[in-house]
Amino acid sequence: MQGVVKGLLLNGKNAVLQQCRLGNQWMRPVAFARFETTKAARIDEHGFEKTTISDILKGKGKSADGSWLWCTTNDSVYDAVKSMTQHNVGALVVVKPGEEKSIAGIITERDYLRKIIVQGRSSKSTKVGDIMTEENKLITVTPETKALKAMQLMTDNRIRHIPVIDDKGMTGMVSIGDVVRAVVSEHRDELDRLNAYIQGGY
């Protein structure tokens, strides 16, 4: 304090600012370190963008793990589209006959529109295997993939359904709606926590 007064008398306002900056410099790392550590601890304590595809599958209801709908490569496109309509879904996983855990591809409403309707083909005489997106062209995720990452993959590749595969095979499928709901819910929860923190709830 005496240094500040002395500086004011000798050199004016600039000297006071300089004295404050230099004189209190030893205090700054301690004060800022304490604030940053506390802030990081609060965020890590609750986590952010932690929701995984596995969490989404578990939250989808009864028999969620593996509750995806499927058809075989030998089924007609008509039967596949009929199944989609009955179950109100936009895609079916395609498997080889007798191999329900081994994914062969995926058939979507878009495949039906582009490869049957637009081309004037018969959905009753065309097999699913002829128009499906084949397995080697599929974009997939694992149960551990973060929901936000899955949403980015789907948005970047303009797809609305993504199969979930682990080292044992197919475990499920999620839609863009499933993923968006999970991300929005997680962000809403995080905003609530931040508001509570700002208002002194922690």
Side-chain angles (χ1 to χ4, degrees), residues 50 68 72 155:
K50 297 274 186 178
W68 35 278
T72 73
T155 302

Side-chain angles (χ1 to χ4, degrees), residues 16 21 30 42 78 80 88-89 95 118 132 143-144 169 173 181:
V16 175
R21 283 197 297 268
V30 176
R42 295 297 184 194
Y78 176 84
N88 194 31
V89 296
V95 299
V118 173
M132 69 181 185
E144 292 75 34
M173 185 160 65
R181 278 191 294 272

